[in-house]
């Protein structure tokens, strides 16, 4: 599967909520805990993501609860929603562990076009032992609070990353990366960005890993 995406910094959360609610369908609010494992020789990277869904009803997403400024997280206490417990069985409390491998490419300073391989696992410990024994080590950890919408074939995600603040991620999935397909997807993503009231000047070309490196290790930049 080919993933074509862009992300933009988002300042006006209230304005975004108002605009996106007028045309897109709300999907879920969730927490994503990402651990990146990297092999140093070929620099192969694998993401291990644990995702917990808080709710799927937009009426439960209150604007005043959404964080607006970067913060220093204390574990996971920064999350403004009650996390589901292990005993809850409703769809809104789903807990998934997903393994992702991407062949990444950046078009200019705006778009990512990634060949993505992804699958789910029941337990993370066996895979982590395998990764350790084959030379991988943890290169990055990242937390996200996410509210997601769908419109036509576009996924829209409002993402709060504690150390960085809020971003809007837009994504189109395609079965191929033919130039005309990518060009059409890029046009669609720009159009959706405009529908959300976000200027193209807000597009962020750096990976989250680069941005977090700049924040966490300022003396090394």
């Amino acid at each position: 599967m080919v993933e074509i995406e862009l992300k933009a910094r988002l300042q006006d959360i209230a304005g975004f909520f108002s605009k996106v609610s007028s045309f897109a369908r709300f999907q879920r609010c969730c927490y994503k805990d990402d651990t990146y494992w990297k092999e140093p020789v070929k620099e192969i990277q694998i993401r291990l993501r644990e995702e917990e869904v808080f709710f799927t009803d937009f009426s439960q997403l209150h604007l005043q609860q959404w964080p607006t400024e970067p913060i220093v997280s204390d574990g996971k206490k920064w999350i403004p929603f009650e996390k589901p417990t292990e005993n809850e069985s409703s769809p809104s409390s789903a807990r998934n562990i997903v393994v992702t491998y991407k062949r990444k490419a950046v078009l200019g300073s705006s778009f990512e076009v990634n060949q993505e391989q992804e699958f789910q696992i029941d337990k993370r410990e066996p895979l982590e032992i395998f990764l350790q024994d084959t030379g991988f080590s943890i290169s990055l950890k990242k937390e996200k609070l996410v509210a997601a919408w769908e419109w036509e074939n576009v996924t829209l995600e409002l993402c709060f990353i504690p150390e960085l603040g809020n971003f809007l991620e837009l994504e189109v999935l395609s079965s191929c990366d033919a130039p005309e397909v990518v060009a059409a997807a890029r046009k669609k993503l720009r159009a959706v960005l405009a529908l959300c009231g976000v200027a193209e000047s807000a597009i962020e070309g750096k990976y989250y890993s680069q941005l977090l490196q700049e924040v966490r290790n300022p003396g090394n930049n």
Side-chain angles (χ1 to χ4, degrees), residues 89-163:
S89 59
S90 66
S92 62
S93 65
R95 186 188 303 262
N96 299 311
I97 303 174
V98 181
V99 182
T100 304
Y101 170 65
K102 294 183 181 182
R103 290 177 176 171
K104 288 193 170 188
V106 178
L107 295 181
S109 59
S110 302
F111 292 86
E112 291 182 29
V113 180
N114 305 314
Q115 293 183 350
E116 181 179 80
Q117 305 296 326
E118 197 167 76
F119 59 92
Q120 285 190 235
I121 58 176
D122 296 324
K123 297 180 181 180
R124 59 189 298 161
E125 289 79 10
L127 177 60
E128 289 175 325
I129 292 172
F130 169 78
L131 291 172
Q132 290 173 349
D133 289 352
T134 51
F136 284 77
S137 61
I138 295 174
S139 60
L140 178 72
K141 290 192 174 185
K142 179 176 91 264
E143 300 169 88
K144 275 185 180 182
L145 177 64
V146 177
W149 289 260
E150 295 282 345
W151 182 67
E152 296 186 355
N153 64 329
V154 180
T155 300
L156 304 87
E157 291 189 343
L158 168 60
C159 301
F160 177 76
I161 299 174
E163 294 157 280

Side-chain angles (χ1 to χ4, degrees), residues 13-23:
I13 304 302
F16 167 75
F17 268 58
S18 175
K19 289 183 181 296
V20 73
S21 300
S22 69
F23 70 90

Side-chain angles (χ1 to χ4, degrees), residues 65-67 77-82 145:
Q65 291 180 290
W66 196 270
K77 296 179 182 178
W78 58 272
I79 299 176
F81 306 104
E82 183 178 352
L145 177 64

